[in-house]
């Protein structure tokens, strides 16, 4: 099993609804535009843990914890980023796609980049070879000055 593809991660993060996820673990009470609860990250008797559905973020005014659904799972359930994505994918019925370990998207991009650099170098070499072949004095003088 390799890394989850960037595209898949993005789909899961876009689908994840912070209120839906958090209410799987703690009881939230609607008040105004948002939801409140006693913070699961620090001990308290009056709720200062706030879920903002409009921004799809949670924030605790008591201890300062906050973030999106992924951040909640990582902190509350001790999940890694990848585990949180897999958990959310199951919840929202999103198929998880994995990169092969040998070549991730990043590595493919790097390879493409190297290829284009190599091509650029080859082009410059060709240019100089052509200059020398045509015995262009300008090119030789220019190289001499360096
Ligand atoms: Zn807190």
């Amino acid at each position: 099993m390799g890394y989850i593809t960037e595209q898949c991660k993005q789909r899961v993060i876009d689908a994840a609804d912070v209120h839906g996820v958090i209410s799987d673990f703690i009881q939230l009470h609607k008040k105004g535009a948002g939801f409140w609860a006693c913070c699961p990250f620090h001990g308290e008797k009056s709720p200062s843990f706030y879920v903002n559905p409009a921004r799809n973020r949670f924030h605790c005014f008591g201890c300062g914890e906050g973030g999106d659904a992924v951040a909640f799972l990582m902190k509350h359930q001790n999940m890694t980023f990848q585990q949180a994505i897999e958990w959310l994918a199951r919840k929202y019925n999103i198929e998880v796609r994995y990169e092969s370990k040998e070549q991730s998207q990043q590595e493919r991009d790097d390879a493409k980049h190297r290829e284009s650099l190599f091509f650029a170098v080859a082009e410059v070499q060709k240019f100089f070879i052509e200059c020398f072949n045509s015995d262009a004095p300008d090119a030789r003088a220019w190289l001499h000055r360096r």
Side-chain angles (χ1 to χ4, degrees):
M1 199 188 289
Y3 301 102
I4 301 171
T5 64
E6 280 307 317
Q7 197 189 11
C8 178
K9 270 184 227 167
Q10 206 49 54
R11 273 186 68 196
V12 171
I13 289 168
D14 289 346
D17 152 47
V18 76
H19 168 254
V21 170
I22 292 177
S23 54
D24 279 358
F25 299 100
I26 59 177
Q27 195 162 13
L28 295 167
H29 303 280
K30 188 160 169 57
K31 198 171 153 194
F35 299 86
W36 293 86
C38 285
C39 178
F41 301 111
H42 79 281
E44 63 175 3
K45 288 201 174 67
S46 61
S48 51
F49 180 84
Y50 178 63
V51 174
N52 184 333
R55 291 189 55 221
N56 209 18
R57 290 281 189 278
F58 71 93
H59 178 75
C60 174
F61 293 95
C63 66
E65 284 290 1
D68 59 6
V70 175
F72 180 84
L73 289 172
M74 288 172 71
K75 283 170 188 152
H76 193 255
Q77 295 296 300
N78 258 325
M79 290 182 187
T80 64
F81 179 79
Q82 177 145 339
Q83 285 168 336
I85 295 289
E86 285 164 347
W87 190 93
L88 288 166
R90 267 199 304 279
K91 181 176 170 72
Y92 293 102
N93 284 317
I94 296 169
E95 190 195 349
V96 181
R97 291 177 185 278
Y98 296 93
E99 305 274 2
S100 70
K101 232 185 183 122
E102 297 77 52
Q103 202 182 40
S104 69
Q105 181 65 41
Q106 183 62 44
E107 282 162 342
R108 269 203 297 279
D109 287 349
D110 287 352
K112 226 182 278 170
H113 184 62
R114 273 198 302 276
E115 222 170 68
S116 66
L117 276 183
F118 177 77
F119 186 71
V121 169
E123 280 298 294
V124 170
Q125 275 170 347
K126 215 169 87 191
F127 170 75
F128 277 110
I129 290 165
E130 275 166 13
C131 283
F132 284 118
N133 284 348
S134 64
D135 208 11
D138 287 353
R140 286 196 169 185
W142 180 82
L143 269 183
H144 240 79
R145 279 202 301 273
R146 285 169 65 96

